[in-house]
Amino acid sequence: MSKTIRIDGKEIPFEEGQTIMEAASAADVYIPHLCHHPDYTPHGSCKLCSVQVNGRNCTACTFPALEGQDIISQSQELQEDRQRITQMLFVEGNHFCPGCEKTGNCQLQAVGYYLNMLDNHFPHFYARREMDASHPDILIDHNRCIFCNLCVRASREKDGKNVFAISGRGINKRLVVNSSSGQLKDSDIDVNDSAVHICPTGAILIKRQGFRVPIGQRIYDHHQIDEVALEQESESHGR
Amino acid sequence: MKQFLDMVLESAERQPVRLLRILRAVQDRYRHIPEQAIDIIAEQLKISRTEIIAVVEFYSFFHRQPQGRYDILISDSITDWMLDKANIMSYLSKVLKVDVGTVRGDGLVSLNNTSCTGMCDQGPAGLINGYALTRLDRPKIDDMAVLIEQAVPLSEWPAEFFQVSDNIQRPGLLLQQAIAPGSGLTRALARGLKETLTEIEKSGLRGRGGAGFSTAMKWRFCAEAQSDRRYVVCNADEGEPGTFKDRVLLNSYADQVFEGMTLCAALIGAEQGYLYLRGEYRHLEDKLQKILQQRRDDGLLGQNILGQELNFDIEICMGAGAYICGEESALIESLEGKCGIPRNRPPYPVTQGYLHKPTVVNNVETFMAAAAIAVNGGDWFKGAGTERSAGSKILSISGDCAKPGIYEYPFGVAIKQILSDCGAVDVQGVQVGGPSGSFISDQELERQLAFEDLATGGSFIVFNNSRHVLDVVKNFTHFFAHESCGFCTPCRVGTSLLKKQLDKIVDGHGSAGDVAALEELCQLVKNYSHCGLGQTAANPVLTTLQRYPELYQRQLKKISYEPGFDLDGALEVARRMANRDDAGAHLTQVEE
């Protein structure tokens, strides 16, 4: 008899050692997330995957699935709060979706669509953030960084390079590059690195790719993020 | 520089876990962490330069740009404000000819704010090159200015500048009589280690940091975790504004604190312990090192303690200005030489703590109490306090009272009693447990200090009727925004939004919807933040909104909406450029 957890009333099997996110994904249940990716160590920082486990808020990507858990994920309250958390990410940086090369392919934007986010709700920070266009193939637009740490983890865990780190404290956090000048061109990053392809927003972009797929024909122009995420991630979570 | 760094790295045994110690030495010497030093340290410790940059930028006391040869930081705690901090700051700025937040042109002096330095009973307080300054006033500042302009080294300054008093006003169960060094361990060994843990269990001792987890249970969990190595960590990072009792305990009862740590080590089977001391208490460092050495000489630390097969030693690790490091998993990260970012739980430190080995992290007062329990027995401790809160609690009392300082009470004491003892009159309210605790009004003075009613880590700030509650809330809310580690969205963005939203209201730009928006934001930050900092950051707003809604309402404009953006203000530059200031050059955005 396999062990089960219950998500929104649905019995879901899990294996010892799986997180709630892993069990849910494997069972085709989508829990919104941005900083989580099945290939990398869970981070638990974006908080979009917050669910109620036996009445307590936990991040599904870090919290272990345990027998007898009664989990609420799709309640109206949680969806509204996830929308607010997403709005926080939008006002913290400078996100101009219509002018962004990533539009339609951006997970942050797609989560916004999914949660029916119609405005930014909070006052903007208008943070002054730089752009690093020094590298011949890769561009960093710090305006769009949401500190999900995925590039940091991908570079460290998959590329074996350690190109990125998140520095600073509180609202002054920033993405830093491991090179003597601090610029991307002097780092040992390569356009084929996993770290370059993992960014859920338009913060790390590959040059000369813009509009190769026209706006209107991009991933989230036609599919909801839950659909896309489950298709891409449920297999790796299946164990 | 190479030579100096070699020496520093050598003394740190080239261990990346000692990165904070290395950076502190570099900061002291060069008044910042130079690029070249980052390269050398990275190479020698075999870590990336970004890792070092991340640490430098995380902690308030590290800088990438040179600070003044005399680096002055003034405590921004609400208690300092109540003691006329604003005036002291502007006077300092004037006399030393340096703007707040800058380094003077000649590099001699820099001046800035810092979070509470733990001198609330003797403020306005500050730090100069990391050493505590107390009871600042104009004559003292005049003297300081002379010493600074003549470039007199700090070591030659009059001792009175750095005088820190204990101010023990009311000793109780623990403070009345310190145990003799070694007596706790001797009794524990005579009684049997297992039996001693049972005794601690019987005492009902709960962690004194505020959360109140059963100490015996924590120690037992750690002892039972499968591992080849275990650690004992004393959390001496009291950063909660209004707390300073650990400062006093380490100044006058350090032996007993170390004894408690050693006792814990014996019970759980640890051979290494760490005292994580907040950077603000640098003045205690040498003294504590001497006490540790004395204990080694007396056979109370090191190999074969008291002639038994018991090996344990304690190392002091200094923080570098980050309130979040008081959170136990952030503290562990910091001990490992990293940014103080709280870990995900589970796993908990008792099973995976320092270097992922089982670790007990307890507060200074907890270890001190445990040592006393080893000597006097569980019943002695249990005899005081209430049913669910055994023993006594040591409080740091500051604010509007005649006798600020340290007070020890059995749990269950009424707030009223405390106020009368410390000489507080015309009380408007009390902040119990610091900004992360609750603000209680003068209608609630019958309430008790206990886990059953008002839990506390020890901060107790009294406000009389001359104070404005919203000024207090503003100070606390700014504090949390400044100290958020920034790891998770709701705290990183949320505490800054809270600050903006509260300021909008306090500064008179709020309208009806703004209080509702403030409350909504509070709930969001509270419910979704990763750790205790975010989960309590909204408490100052929430506890005062509940008790003084009219204070918030009174600040509001009588319109339905007031934008946060000042349209007319934004036209100022245009007016200046066009050289006109007639009515037509102004805009009103909302009809009042």
Side-chain angles (χ1 to χ4, degrees), chain B residues 152-229:
Chain B
V152 178
L154 276 194
S155 55
E156 289 166 28
W157 284 30
E160 55 156 358
F161 275 98
F162 308 106
Q163 209 172 25
V164 178
S165 325
D166 273 359
N167 286 334
I168 298 176
Q169 308 282 6
R170 188 189 190 278
L173 204 58
L174 294 173
L175 297 178
Q176 233 141 35
Q177 199 179 3
I179 64 163
S183 58
L185 286 169
T186 313
R187 273 307 302 276
L189 290 165
R191 187 193 287 119
L193 292 177
K194 258 195 186 138
E195 289 74 11
T196 301
L197 187 55
T198 312
E199 209 59 38
I200 292 174
E201 190 158 38
K202 200 158 69 171
S203 76
L205 176 63
R206 297 168 67 167
R208 265 35 184 165
F213 192 79
S214 154
T215 303
M217 206 188 285
K218 186 185 266 188
W219 293 12
R220 188 159 281 146
F221 282 154
C222 186
E224 286 167 359
Q226 288 292 320
S227 180
D228 57 338
R229 226 178 302 164

XYZ file of all heavy atoms in Angstrom, chain B residues 152-229:
596
model
N 44.058 61.070 18.029
C 44.477 60.265 19.187
C 43.899 58.856 19.030
O 42.700 58.712 18.819
C 43.951 60.893 20.512
C 44.343 60.028 21.710
C 44.464 62.317 20.650
N 44.725 57.823 19.098
C 44.203 56.464 18.941
C 43.171 56.127 20.014
O 43.290 56.592 21.151
C 45.442 55.576 19.110
C 46.618 56.476 19.055
C 46.165 57.860 19.355
N 42.198 55.302 19.648
C 41.122 54.949 20.581
C 41.670 54.402 21.897
O 41.102 54.627 22.958
C 40.216 53.882 19.961
C 39.095 54.304 19.019
C 38.140 53.144 18.801
C 38.337 55.517 19.530
N 42.777 53.659 21.799
C 43.344 53.037 23.000
C 43.805 54.078 24.017
O 43.970 53.774 25.195
C 44.513 52.138 22.609
O 45.456 52.884 21.862
N 43.991 55.321 23.553
C 44.431 56.358 24.492
C 43.289 57.266 24.924
O 43.505 58.245 25.620
C 45.565 57.183 23.847
C 46.851 56.394 23.738
C 47.862 57.054 22.802
O 47.829 58.299 22.658
O 48.657 56.313 22.186
N 42.091 56.956 24.494
C 40.944 57.777 24.905
C 40.612 57.487 26.362
O 40.853 56.369 26.841
C 39.715 57.448 24.040
C 39.751 58.034 22.652
C 40.852 58.291 21.900
C 38.624 58.412 21.865
N 40.497 58.803 20.682
C 39.121 58.886 20.631
C 37.244 58.388 22.071
C 38.279 59.340 19.610
C 36.414 58.844 21.052
C 36.926 59.318 19.850
N 40.041 58.482 27.056
C 39.656 58.241 28.455
C 38.663 57.072 28.544
O 37.770 56.949 27.707
C 38.972 59.540 28.878
C 39.288 60.545 27.835
C 39.690 59.832 26.603
N 38.826 56.261 29.570
C 38.007 55.061 29.721
C 36.517 55.383 29.828
O 35.667 54.576 29.451
C 38.458 54.269 30.937
N 36.210 56.554 30.338
C 34.789 56.876 30.574
C 33.952 56.891 29.286
O 32.748 56.696 29.332
C 34.653 58.217 31.316
C 35.350 59.340 30.603
C 34.773 60.707 30.962
O 33.818 60.765 31.741
O 35.297 61.702 30.436
N 34.617 57.098 28.153
C 33.864 57.058 26.890
C 33.224 55.688 26.651
O 32.189 55.564 26.041
C 34.795 57.360 25.698
C 34.969 58.810 25.443
C 36.091 59.473 25.925
C 34.015 59.517 24.736
C 36.250 60.822 25.700
C 34.173 60.867 24.506
C 35.286 61.522 24.997
N 33.929 54.683 27.123
C 33.524 53.319 26.792
C 32.912 52.588 27.986
O 32.801 51.368 27.982
C 34.732 52.539 26.260
C 35.434 53.256 25.155
C 36.656 53.880 25.360
C 34.850 53.340 23.891
C 37.290 54.564 24.343
C 35.480 54.024 22.866
C 36.702 54.634 23.090
N 32.532 53.369 28.992
C 32.016 52.741 30.197
C 30.634 52.147 29.959
O 29.712 52.830 29.528
C 31.955 53.776 31.308
C 32.112 53.147 32.658
C 32.253 54.217 33.721
O 31.802 55.350 33.540
N 32.859 53.858 34.825
N 30.489 50.867 30.223
C 29.196 50.203 30.085
C 28.789 49.671 31.460
O 29.518 48.888 32.061
C 29.292 49.030 29.081
C 27.953 48.319 28.975
C 29.743 49.521 27.714
N 27.645 50.135 31.951
C 27.223 49.686 33.283
C 26.289 48.492 33.168
O 25.577 48.337 32.193
C 26.478 50.798 34.025
O 27.020 52.054 33.710
N 26.290 47.664 34.196
C 25.395 46.506 34.230
C 23.956 46.915 34.571
O 23.000 46.366 34.045
C 25.878 45.480 35.261
C 26.887 44.510 34.667
O 27.179 44.647 33.461
O 27.366 43.625 35.398
N 23.841 47.870 35.484
C 22.510 48.337 35.908
C 21.577 47.208 36.346
O 20.424 47.153 35.913
C 21.827 49.126 34.782
C 22.424 50.489 34.599
O 22.983 51.048 35.538
N 22.332 51.033 33.393
N 22.076 46.305 37.172
C 21.187 45.254 37.686
C 20.349 45.863 38.811
O 20.863 46.205 39.868
C 21.991 44.039 38.193
C 22.772 43.435 37.029
C 21.048 43.000 38.810
C 23.674 42.291 37.411
N 19.084 46.039 38.529
C 18.204 46.730 39.492
C 17.469 45.763 40.401
O 17.133 46.096 41.522
C 17.163 47.581 38.732
C 17.745 48.531 37.704
C 18.342 49.786 38.322
O 18.432 49.908 39.546
N 18.769 50.718 37.483
N 17.164 44.591 39.885
C 16.388 43.675 40.713
C 16.797 42.232 40.407
O 16.265 41.600 39.505
C 14.888 43.846 40.430
C 14.009 43.065 41.384
C 12.554 43.091 40.929
N 11.661 42.563 41.943
C 11.430 41.270 42.138
N 12.048 40.362 41.411
N 10.589 40.867 43.090
N 17.772 41.714 41.160
C 18.182 40.335 40.937
C 17.149 39.372 41.507
O 16.495 39.687 42.488
C 19.501 40.225 41.701
C 19.472 41.310 42.712
C 18.530 42.380 42.228
N 17.004 38.212 40.882
C 16.075 37.191 41.378
C 16.772 35.851 41.467
O 17.977 35.776 41.735
N 15.997 34.817 41.171
C 16.459 33.439 41.269
C 17.899 33.222 40.752
O 18.738 32.635 41.437
C 15.489 32.569 40.455
C 15.371 31.097 40.796
C 14.953 30.906 42.242
C 14.358 30.429 39.861
N 18.175 33.690 39.555
C 19.479 33.405 38.938
C 20.545 34.436 39.276
O 21.701 34.111 39.517
C 19.335 33.344 37.409
C 18.492 32.209 36.837
C 18.309 32.402 35.338
C 19.158 30.864 37.116
N 20.144 35.711 39.263
C 21.144 36.767 39.405
C 21.615 36.948 40.841
O 22.696 37.472 41.086
C 20.585 38.094 38.876
C 20.240 38.116 37.388
C 19.644 39.463 36.986
C 21.479 37.836 36.544
N 20.778 36.496 41.812
C 21.129 36.691 43.207
C 22.447 35.994 43.541
O 23.260 36.522 44.262
C 20.031 36.130 44.103
C 19.550 37.160 45.102
C 18.053 37.066 45.285
O 17.487 35.973 45.238
N 17.419 38.190 45.494
N 22.598 34.792 42.985
C 23.808 34.067 43.315
C 24.311 33.265 42.126
O 23.682 32.283 41.722
C 23.547 33.132 44.490
C 24.832 32.731 45.140
C 24.607 31.822 46.334
O 23.501 31.431 46.659
N 25.703 31.465 46.968
N 25.453 33.688 41.612
C 26.060 32.925 40.529
C 26.624 31.636 41.112
O 27.033 31.595 42.264
C 27.180 33.738 39.898
N 26.622 30.583 40.326
C 27.192 29.331 40.836
C 28.721 29.424 40.767
O 29.267 30.170 39.973
C 26.701 28.108 40.020
C 27.200 28.187 38.566
C 25.184 28.003 40.046
C 27.112 26.859 37.838
N 29.396 28.692 41.613
C 30.863 28.694 41.590
C 31.321 27.936 40.342
O 30.725 26.920 39.998
C 31.404 28.017 42.837
N 32.372 28.444 39.658
C 32.838 27.764 38.447
C 33.120 26.280 38.708
O 33.791 25.929 39.668
C 34.131 28.510 38.101
C 33.950 29.861 38.688
C 33.149 29.670 39.932
N 32.553 25.436 37.893
C 32.785 24.000 38.020
C 31.756 23.273 38.862
O 31.617 22.049 38.767
N 30.989 24.026 39.657
C 30.066 23.349 40.586
C 28.919 22.650 39.850
O 28.459 21.581 40.277
C 29.512 24.330 41.622
O 28.845 25.384 40.971
N 28.475 23.249 38.737
C 27.390 22.628 37.968
C 27.831 21.304 37.368
O 27.127 20.298 37.425
N 29.045 21.296 36.815
C 29.575 20.080 36.187
C 29.856 19.012 37.240
O 29.539 17.830 37.046
C 30.866 20.410 35.441
C 30.705 21.180 34.137
C 32.052 21.676 33.632
C 30.042 20.285 33.082
N 30.430 19.441 38.347
C 30.739 18.486 39.420
C 29.465 17.796 39.905
O 29.418 16.573 40.045
C 31.421 19.228 40.600
O 32.449 20.055 40.064
C 32.025 18.245 41.582
N 28.431 18.604 40.160
C 27.169 18.029 40.621
C 26.568 17.089 39.578
O 26.072 16.008 39.905
C 26.139 19.135 40.938
C 26.186 19.705 42.341
C 26.127 18.661 43.448
N 24.945 17.790 43.421
C 23.764 18.108 43.942
N 23.584 19.267 44.532
N 22.761 17.262 43.888
N 26.648 17.519 38.312
C 26.072 16.715 37.228
C 26.781 15.365 37.132
O 26.140 14.326 36.963
C 26.155 17.461 35.909
N 28.107 15.389 37.261
C 28.866 14.140 37.152
C 28.593 13.252 38.356
O 28.491 12.029 38.233
C 30.366 14.448 37.024
C 30.772 15.085 35.679
C 32.168 15.685 35.748
C 30.680 14.071 34.542
N 28.461 13.873 39.517
C 28.190 13.093 40.720
C 26.794 12.462 40.646
O 26.580 11.310 41.021
C 28.301 13.987 41.955
N 25.850 13.229 40.144
C 24.471 12.774 40.074
C 24.289 11.743 38.954
O 23.443 10.860 39.028
C 23.562 13.975 39.823
C 22.068 13.666 39.904
C 21.228 14.810 39.334
N 21.186 15.973 40.196
C 21.633 17.184 39.853
N 22.204 17.379 38.677
N 21.543 18.194 40.686
N 25.106 11.903 37.914
C 24.943 11.079 36.710
C 24.392 11.958 35.610
O 23.499 12.785 35.871
N 24.913 11.809 34.381
C 24.513 12.696 33.293
C 23.047 12.496 32.916
O 22.301 13.459 32.714
C 25.424 12.482 32.077
C 26.880 12.926 32.277
C 27.721 12.621 31.048
C 26.953 14.416 32.603
N 22.639 11.248 32.824
C 21.237 10.956 32.496
C 20.294 11.589 33.504
O 19.298 12.218 33.159
C 21.021 9.443 32.502
C 20.967 8.841 31.111
C 20.387 7.435 31.166
C 20.484 6.792 29.807
N 20.898 5.393 29.869
N 20.657 11.404 34.765
C 19.825 11.930 35.850
C 19.775 13.461 35.797
O 18.758 14.059 36.145
C 20.369 11.471 37.209
C 20.180 9.988 37.501
C 21.137 9.085 36.713
O 22.096 9.604 36.094
O 20.903 7.863 36.683
N 20.886 14.054 35.363
C 20.907 15.523 35.286
C 19.964 16.022 34.188
O 19.265 17.020 34.359
C 22.343 16.032 35.038
O 23.160 15.570 36.118
C 22.389 17.534 34.974
N 19.941 15.295 33.074
C 19.010 15.689 32.009
C 17.570 15.551 32.510
O 16.713 16.398 32.217
C 19.251 14.840 30.752
C 18.457 15.254 29.496
C 18.692 16.717 29.154
C 18.840 14.401 28.292
N 17.315 14.503 33.266
C 15.983 14.331 33.867
C 15.661 15.502 34.800
O 14.535 15.991 34.860
C 15.927 13.013 34.665
O 16.460 11.977 33.858
C 14.520 12.681 35.088
N 16.677 15.937 35.517
C 16.518 17.060 36.452
C 16.137 18.337 35.673
O 15.271 19.107 36.107
C 17.835 17.242 37.203
C 17.711 17.807 38.597
C 16.857 16.967 39.542
O 16.903 15.707 39.484
O 16.122 17.585 40.324
N 16.790 18.535 34.536
C 16.492 19.723 33.715
C 15.071 19.614 33.148
O 14.325 20.590 33.090
C 17.540 19.888 32.583
C 18.883 20.244 33.203
C 17.122 20.947 31.590
C 20.036 20.300 32.230
N 14.715 18.387 32.806
C 13.357 18.163 32.320
C 12.345 18.510 33.409
O 11.349 19.187 33.178
C 13.211 16.701 31.908
C 11.930 16.411 31.157
C 12.069 15.138 30.324
O 12.708 14.177 30.809
O 11.548 15.118 29.206
N 12.654 18.044 34.608
C 11.779 18.276 35.756
C 11.648 19.778 36.056
O 10.606 20.245 36.508
C 12.350 17.544 36.969
C 11.333 17.295 38.060
C 11.727 16.145 38.986
C 12.912 16.465 39.840
N 13.253 15.546 40.890
N 12.729 20.525 35.784
C 12.712 21.959 36.088
C 11.710 22.708 35.224
O 11.275 23.802 35.569
C 14.108 22.544 35.862
O 14.345 22.697 34.468
N 11.364 22.120 34.081
C 10.426 22.791 33.185
C 11.057 23.924 32.395
O 10.354 24.761 31.815
N 12.382 23.975 32.363
C 13.076 25.061 31.658
C 12.726 25.091 30.173
O 12.812 24.083 29.485
C 14.597 24.896 31.827
C 15.486 25.898 31.073
C 15.256 27.326 31.559
C 16.966 25.517 31.219
N 12.315 26.269 29.704
C 12.040 26.481 28.285
C 12.988 27.547 27.762
O 13.414 28.429 28.488
C 10.584 26.931 28.093
C 9.593 25.867 28.546
C 8.178 26.413 28.640
N 7.650 26.771 27.327
C 6.350 27.026 27.112
N 5.477 26.964 28.101
N 5.931 27.341 25.911
N 13.324 27.436 26.485
C 14.280 28.361 25.867
C 13.931 29.808 26.152
O 12.782 30.216 26.027
N 14.930 30.591 26.527
C 14.710 31.987 26.934
C 14.776 32.966 25.769
O 14.722 34.179 25.968
C 15.754 32.362 27.989
C 15.331 32.230 29.444
C 14.424 31.103 29.738
N 13.992 31.125 31.147
C 12.969 30.429 31.613
N 12.272 29.650 30.813
N 12.618 30.491 32.886
N 14.928 32.469 24.567
C 15.010 33.375 23.417
C 13.655 33.949 23.027
O 13.576 34.947 22.329
N 12.584 33.335 23.499
C 11.257 33.861 23.190
C 10.302 32.784 22.707
O 9.122 32.783 23.045
N 10.820 31.825 21.916
C 9.944 30.797 21.362
C 9.544 29.781 22.435
O 8.443 29.222 22.392
C 10.622 30.096 20.198
N 10.425 29.541 23.395
C 10.056 28.745 24.550
C 9.957 27.250 24.343
O 9.113 26.578 24.941
N 10.825 26.697 23.525
C 10.833 25.245 23.335
C 11.485 24.592 24.557
O 12.412 25.150 25.143
C 11.621 24.899 22.064
C 11.449 23.482 21.609
C 10.304 23.096 20.920
C 12.409 22.518 21.893
C 10.136 21.780 20.511
C 12.256 21.202 21.487
C 11.105 20.835 20.797
N 10.984 23.423 24.942
C 11.526 22.741 26.121
C 13.019 22.438 25.929
O 13.411 21.786 24.961
C 10.768 21.434 26.357
O 11.588 20.514 27.050
N 13.827 22.916 26.868
C 15.281 22.762 26.739
C 15.701 21.294 26.813
O 16.488 20.830 25.980
C 15.987 23.570 27.847
O 15.571 24.925 27.727
C 17.499 23.502 27.720
N 15.156 20.558 27.788
C 15.543 19.151 27.940
C 15.178 18.361 26.685
O 15.938 17.506 26.229
C 14.860 18.556 29.164
N 14.019 18.679 26.117
C 13.576 17.951 24.927
C 14.515 18.241 23.750
O 14.883 17.347 23.002
C 12.143 18.353 24.578
C 11.388 17.279 23.817
S 9.800 17.843 23.231
C 8.836 17.861 24.727
N 14.898 19.504 23.600
C 15.824 19.878 22.527
C 17.133 19.115 22.685
O 17.659 18.542 21.732
C 16.072 21.394 22.565
C 16.908 21.905 21.399
C 17.244 23.383 21.534
C 16.265 24.285 20.814
N 16.680 25.696 20.783
N 17.649 19.074 23.903
C 18.928 18.414 24.154
C 18.805 16.906 23.899
O 19.706 16.287 23.360
C 19.409 18.675 25.592
C 19.774 20.121 25.827
C 19.507 21.177 24.997
C 20.473 20.670 26.951
N 19.980 22.336 25.543
C 20.573 22.059 26.755
C 21.000 20.119 28.125
C 21.203 22.907 27.664
C 21.629 20.970 29.045
C 21.728 22.350 28.807
N 17.659 16.365 24.283
C 17.453 14.931 24.096
C 17.381 14.582 22.603
O 18.010 13.638 22.152
C 16.174 14.504 24.828
C 15.964 13.004 24.853
C 15.033 12.580 25.975
N 15.727 12.546 27.259
C 15.167 12.845 28.423
N 13.914 13.237 28.454
N 15.861 12.776 29.522
N 16.615 15.392 21.846
C 16.515 15.166 20.398
C 17.902 15.167 19.768
O 18.234 14.337 18.940
C 15.676 16.256 19.715
C 14.199 16.083 19.882
C 13.345 17.180 19.828
C 13.644 14.818 20.076
C 11.975 17.035 19.969
C 12.268 14.663 20.220
C 11.437 15.775 20.170
N 18.709 16.137 20.182
C 20.048 16.272 19.592
C 20.905 15.065 19.965
O 21.615 14.522 19.124
C 20.695 17.562 20.072
S 22.255 17.904 19.264
N 20.815 14.649 21.217
C 21.615 13.510 21.676
C 21.226 12.243 20.932
O 22.063 11.379 20.662
C 21.435 13.323 23.180
N 19.940 12.143 20.591
C 19.455 10.914 19.947
C 19.669 10.882 18.442
O 19.553 9.833 17.816
C 17.965 10.715 20.271
C 17.759 10.248 21.708
C 16.304 10.345 22.161
O 15.459 10.792 21.356
O 16.042 9.985 23.312
N 19.963 12.053 17.843
C 20.170 12.082 16.389
C 21.427 11.294 16.041
O 22.443 11.396 16.717
C 20.303 13.532 15.921
N 21.329 10.490 14.981
C 22.467 9.685 14.553
C 23.551 10.579 13.977
O 23.323 11.274 13.002
C 22.007 8.699 13.460
C 21.134 7.564 13.958
C 21.895 6.599 14.851
O 23.041 6.284 14.564
N 21.262 6.150 15.929
N 24.731 10.561 14.574
C 25.818 11.357 14.014
C 27.135 11.046 14.715
O 27.148 10.584 15.849
C 25.523 12.844 14.152
O 26.571 13.598 13.603
N 28.240 11.340 14.007
C 29.543 11.145 14.628
C 29.965 12.385 15.407
O 30.908 12.352 16.173
C 30.592 10.832 13.546
C 30.661 11.928 12.481
O 29.664 12.676 12.344
O 31.687 12.026 11.793
N 29.255 13.504 15.190
C 29.668 14.749 15.820
C 28.463 15.622 16.163
O 27.468 15.601 15.436
C 30.555 15.531 14.843
C 31.809 16.068 15.498
C 32.673 16.793 14.515
N 33.073 15.974 13.374
C 33.563 16.503 12.249
N 33.663 17.797 12.101
N 33.938 15.723 11.263
